Amino acid sequence: MGKSENIPPSLADTNVSACHPSHQILFEPVQIGPVTAPNRFYQVPHASGMTETHPRVRAAFRETKAEGGWGVVSTGAVSIHPSSDDSPLPFARLWNDADIASHALSTEAIHRHGSLAAVELWHGGAVVMNRTSRLPPLSPSGISWAATHVGFMGQQRPKKMTGADIDEVLHWQRLATRRALDAGFDILYVYAGMGYLGYEFLLPEYNHRDDGYGGALENRVRFVREMLEVTRDEAGSRAAVALRISLEELRGKASDHYESEAHGVVSLLSDVPDLWDVKMDSSPTDCGASRFRPEGAHERIIDFVKRVTDRPVVGVGRFTSPDTMVSQIRRGVLDLIGGARASIADPFLPSKIREGNSDGIRECIGCNICIASWHDGVPVRCTQNATAGEEWRRGWHPERFARTTQPDSVLVVGGGPAGLEAALIAAKQGFEVTIAEQTADWGGRVLQESQLPGMSTWRRVRDYRVWALSQLGNVSMYTNSALDAEAALSFGADHIAVATGARWTKRLYSSLEIPAAPLDLPQILTPEDVFAGTVAGDRVLVFDYDNYYLGGVIAEHLAEQGKVVSYATPAGHASAWTFMTNELPFVYQALARRDVAIHTTTNLMNFDGNRAALQNLFNATPLEIEVDAIVIVGHRDPEDALYQSLVGARAPNDSSSIQLLGDALAPGAIVHAVHSGHSFARGLIETDTLYLRDEPLVPAEPARVFPQR
Ligand code: ADP
Ligand code: SF4
């Protein structure tokens, strides 16, 4: 089902004359079985938190990527049957015909821009807990997935599949394929990665079967082969069949006949799928945070695949640099450049490369807030792209902005993430913008934090916005400009945005989570003292109840400076919330490398200037540590004094607006600050600040969700 007849000028236009000559290879079409991808930009399947309950939000989110030039746009995981039920985590489904319409919204939207639509048909095997459907999870041999992992704690163990169960799953794949075709998808997946059912058949540790599906590698690939064959049989020439497979563990396994078991699997199935989508085995390694994984980190595992198959290969690696992408293709690593996070942070990345505007790419920073959204069970949020997930419900487009009819002026005070985003979006809407920052450089907290170990990529939040502001003629930018109320009002701006950030406090909490009096000694410090480089003494305790990245990074940083560092937290893990962003295991590795002693479920009770008195949160067992200083990474208070004095100082008849933004309004993560700045600027034109609530497409009759054979 080639889409050439439908391709609008944006993608059908093969004119890449503005594109840098060395990047033009990225715009070559690629044949994938019976369909043709219009270019090499492939938005691989990724979770969006948008399920059948958010069909319009989902369609607009995916459509924006097609509009931005991604030649293939995929769904996230789409369950083929209620025995693959990941709730309460969000997942989509094609369990019966009633589910077709909501997917058709997405495929129509993707096709409008000439892109191909791919569906990641998925059976979760023993990974899912079937909390809603209450069916036993399926597995080759009844072996639990991640049984030791607290995050998977479900108390539900999988059943061992009989031969009849295998036949049923194959039939469900056939039914889901039929529905996917009816929904208009062009590429249909079989998923054998990340612990899901196909993957469990491949690995001997999970597959102990003594029938034709277990034992020798030829037998272990049989289930995946049959899933591919049944999909092909049903799809005929209407759609391509893709295999998504994790190769990390298999690559480490010796094989009698092949260089590794990964080589064996790809050889045995070499020409069965039309496309190989190759990846790592677990979310922390597959979707690694930039703190611990560079761009292109998958290459060492997947670099052999193209040598073993002549079918096209797509893979990811948080690619944002066109030179890196071209290098992957020229060196024969990949045929198609996979993007998940890169496509969320900038849906228009391909268009920008084609227009020779690579500087304009809003590069992903690898913070994994998008993944945390999925873990939270909500539609995707992105630190770099405030419009992600807001395309339909708020009508926010990442590149198009309404233009003001009033030539109003806007003064933004504070050049951190919130202030920079507010200034940029206000300027793009045609306002006359002035932004003032009291320090010598732009970026606020990002500038400071990005100097800590592993954090340099986060600087892109600042760099992209400072660059983009410098391209506009209606912006005046002043550093070294601390404004008080009088100075701010003297600009006579129609709108004043106060984005002055927040400050860390020395506040503590009791074991009952009640705020306790701050410890007020000169040796009690906050992250600001770390940024200022004024942490004196050789022995430091980092006491962290913020629980996101900063406490752990500061411990690493101080240890790197040669100090003896202890880290204590009331939480159950160091940097506990980084569980949500796939960083947690690597935080522990980094702290271990620096010999940082970790004390979890531990509260800070007192400090006499020499000894920190700690206590186990649950059983009150005391612990004393001799330290010269304590850095408390806990609570932040808004820096809103300027706002308060502005409101007090302005004349009674002054009709200008004054608004607080970002951390100065409510301290949060950088994603919150950017979104706040963006909301402010859109609100200068939008009269209705409420968003549309999406609703499921309700079938006429309640659907039966247990398909009968
Ligand atoms: P956010 O995340 O909300 O953007 P940040 O703390 O990162 O907050 O940034 C706030 C910025 O505001 C900092 O760079 C700070 O130096 C600047 N700032 C604070 N007060 C003033 C002021 N009175 N005049 C100009 N800049 C200010
Ligand atoms: Fe990249 Fe962070 Fe946005 Fe995810 S949330 S796409 S990691 S910038």
Side-chain angles (χ1 to χ4, degrees):
M1 205 199 321
K3 297 288 170 206
S4 53
E5 68 281 7
N6 295 330
I7 297 180
S10 57
L11 274 178
D13 180 8
T14 50
N15 179 6
V16 287
S17 56
C19 178
H20 191 285
S22 69
H23 300 159
Q24 289 179 3
I25 190 174
L26 298 171
F27 296 92
E28 293 172 350
V30 179
Q31 190 73 33
I32 306 174
V35 300
T36 305
N39 60 37
R40 296 183 189 269
F41 291 95
Y42 192 115
Q43 183 249 282
V44 291
H46 73 77
S48 69
M50 299 161 192
T51 65
E52 268 45 80
T53 55
H54 296 90
R56 299 165 191 83
V57 167
R58 181 171 68 185
F61 174 67
R62 301 293 183 190
E63 175 171 15
T64 308
K65 299 175 189 225
E67 187 193 352
W70 294 87
V72 179
V73 177
S74 309
T75 63
V78 175
S79 170
I80 61 170
H81 184 264
S83 59
S84 180
D85 156 20
D86 215 7
S87 52
L89 290 171
F91 63 95
R93 51 168 208 253
L94 270 171
W95 289 352
N96 49 42
D97 291 354
D99 290 331
I100 294 171
S102 72
H103 289 286
L105 274 188
S106 289
T107 59
E108 283 159 19
I110 292 164
H111 290 160
R112 270 200 285 280
H113 303 277
S115 304
L116 299 177
V119 58
E120 186 185 43
L121 298 176
W122 161 75
H123 196 291
V127 173
V128 294
M129 292 293 155
N130 294 342
R131 290 177 174 92
T132 301
S133 71
R134 303 187 69 173
L135 293 170
L138 299 178
S139 69
S141 302
I143 316 274
S144 292
W145 172 256
T148 56
H149 197 305
V150 72
F152 283 89
M153 210 164 52
Q155 306 310 330
Q156 171 78 78
R157 302 304 173 209
K159 72 170 276 200
K160 178 181 169 184
M161 291 168 77
T162 62
D165 289 331
I166 292 177
D167 289 346
E168 279 213 305
V169 175
L170 292 167
H171 184 65
W172 299 334
Q173 176 76 9
R174 180 183 291 281
L175 294 179
T177 295
R178 207 173 285 166
R179 295 182 187 118
L181 291 167
D182 286 350
F185 287 105
D186 311 290
I187 300 175
L188 316 173
Y189 269 75
V190 169
Y191 200 172
M194 307 285 276
Y196 300 132
L197 189 57
Y199 176 90
E200 289 165 18
F201 271 89
L202 295 177
L203 257 64
E205 291 81 357
Y206 288 97
N207 181 349
H208 299 180
R209 300 183 72 91
D210 53 13
D211 58 8
Y213 292 92
L217 190 59
E218 288 74 6
N219 285 353
R220 280 183 275 130
V221 301
R222 184 171 158 198
F223 174 73
V224 175
R225 179 193 292 279
E226 290 180 356
M227 288 289 273
L228 290 163
E229 285 170 351
V230 82
T231 312
R232 155 68 61 242
D233 184 54
E234 192 62 35
S237 59
R238 292 175 64 192
V241 178
L243 174 59
R244 189 164 221 213
I245 187 166
S246 294
L247 295 172
E248 202 177 356
E249 180 74 23
L250 289 165
R251 181 113 199 223
K253 281 194 188 308
S255 160
D256 290 342
H257 304 299
Y258 305 98
E259 206 176 313
S260 73
E261 288 218 336
H263 290 73
V265 171
V266 181
S267 302
L268 289 166
L269 297 176
S270 164
D271 58 359
V272 186
D274 297 314
L275 171 78
W276 285 85
D277 179 340
V278 291
K279 63 185 323 218
M280 309 290 259
D281 289 37
S282 71
S283 199
T285 54
D286 191 54
C287 191
S290 63
R291 278 173 70 190
F292 305 107
R293 288 278 185 284
E295 187 176 9
H298 295 201
E299 185 175 332
R300 68 187 171 84
I301 298 296
I302 58 89
D303 58 355
F304 73 94
V305 178
K306 265 187 64 62
R307 291 198 297 276
V308 184
T309 177
D310 56 10
R311 298 296 158 95
V313 178
V314 62
V316 293
R318 201 166 40 76
F319 299 120
T320 56
S321 151
D323 293 337
T324 307
M325 298 172 195
V326 169
S327 159
Q328 293 275 319
I329 291 161
R330 294 252 182 245
R331 289 184 296 112
V333 182
L334 298 174
D335 299 293
L336 293 135
I337 300 300
R341 287 173 293 176
S343 74
I344 300 172
D346 195 341
F348 277 65
L349 177 148
S351 300
K352 290 176 182 177
I353 296 173
R354 194 173 60 180
E355 289 156 11
N357 178 26
S358 303
D359 287 346
I361 297 172
R362 195 172 42 248
E363 289 180 285
C364 166
I365 67 166
C367 62
N368 284 355
I369 281 291
C370 47
I371 313 282
S373 316
W374 180 65
H375 289 149
D376 269 338
V378 297
V380 71
R381 296 161 297 202
C382 172
T383 299
Q384 276 284 59
N385 177 12
T387 69
E390 305 284 15
E391 300 87 352
W392 179 80
R393 68 175 196 171
R394 300 190 77 161
W396 289 0
H397 190 277
E399 303 295 323
R400 279 199 302 275
F401 303 91
R403 297 287 294 182
T404 178
T405 50
Q406 309 274 343
D408 282 2
S409 57
V410 177
L411 170 67
V412 180
V413 188
L420 289 171
E421 178 76 358
L424 179 61
I425 305 306
K428 289 196 172 203
Q429 295 176 130
F431 292 94
E432 275 303 317
V433 175
T434 302
I435 177 167
E437 162 57 42
Q438 68 183 3
T439 67
D441 201 355
W442 302 103
R445 65 183 289 191
V446 163
L447 188 64
Q448 296 170 323
E449 293 176 10
S450 61
Q451 288 163 24
L452 297 174
M455 298 288 290
S456 58
T457 310
W458 292 44
R459 204 183 135 98
R460 291 173 175 177
V461 171
R462 166 213 181 271
D463 292 349
Y464 164 73
R465 289 171 178 77
V466 172
W467 173 86
L469 282 162
S470 75
Q471 305 301 299
L472 300 171
N474 52 336
V475 183
S476 306
M477 301 178 72
Y478 301 101
T479 49
N480 294 313
S481 301
L483 300 190
D484 57 15
E486 193 185 347
L489 288 172
S490 73
F491 280 83
D494 299 298
H495 308 279
I496 302 179
V498 181
T500 44
R503 65 185 170 280
W504 292 94
T505 68
K506 298 177 182 177
R507 195 171 302 141
L508 295 175
Y509 276 73
S510 76
S511 55
L512 292 176
E513 310 287 358
I514 294 170
L519 290 174
D520 223 358
L521 287 178
Q523 300 100 317
I524 296 279
L525 308 172
T526 68
E528 277 99 4
D529 299 297
V530 177
F531 301 139
T534 54
V535 179
D538 297 329
R539 302 161 306 171
V540 183
L541 169 68
V542 176
F543 180 66
D544 179 13
Y545 69 88
D546 171 63
N547 293 327
Y548 190 16
Y549 57 89
L550 195 61
V553 177
I554 283 178
E556 226 184 309
H557 169 67
L558 294 173
E560 244 177 33
Q561 293 181 336
K563 297 184 193 296
V564 177
V565 179
S566 303
Y567 170 99
T569 177
H573 295 294
S575 294
W577 201 80
T578 63
F579 169 70
M580 303 289 275
T581 52
N582 287 347
E583 293 163 288
L584 188 62
F586 308 111
V587 170
Y588 268 80
Q589 288 168 22
L591 294 179
R593 266 196 305 277
R594 301 274 167 209
D595 290 327
V596 174
I598 298 173
H599 306 280
T600 54
T601 60
T602 298
N603 213 352
L604 174 61
M605 310 306 291
N606 215 337
F607 183 47
D608 65 6
N610 190 30
R611 256 187 301 271
L614 300 156
Q615 193 179 71
N616 182 281
L617 193 67
F618 301 136
N619 61 18
T621 303
L623 171 71
E624 279 196 353
I625 307 179
E626 292 198 0
V627 287
D628 304 310
I630 299 178
V631 179
I632 298 178
V633 186
H635 207 273
R636 284 185 300 156
D637 281 344
E639 195 71 78
D640 58 0
L642 174 64
Y643 172 80
Q644 302 299 350
S645 49
L646 273 170
V647 170
R650 70 170 167 177
N653 58 349
D654 187 342
S655 62
S656 62
S657 71
I658 305 177
Q659 289 193 48
L660 271 174
L661 317 181
D663 290 334
L665 174 66
I670 298 165
V671 63
H672 301 118
V674 171
H675 191 270
S676 171
H678 197 100
S679 281
F680 158 78
R682 296 270 187 177
L684 293 171
I685 293 183
E686 287 168 3
T687 48
D688 186 357
T689 52
L690 299 177
Y691 61 76
L692 296 171
R693 188 178 66 188
D694 206 354
E695 302 286 356
L697 303 185
V698 183
E701 292 289 325
R704 288 178 61 83
V705 297
F706 289 78
Q708 304 299 306
R709 294 199 63 178

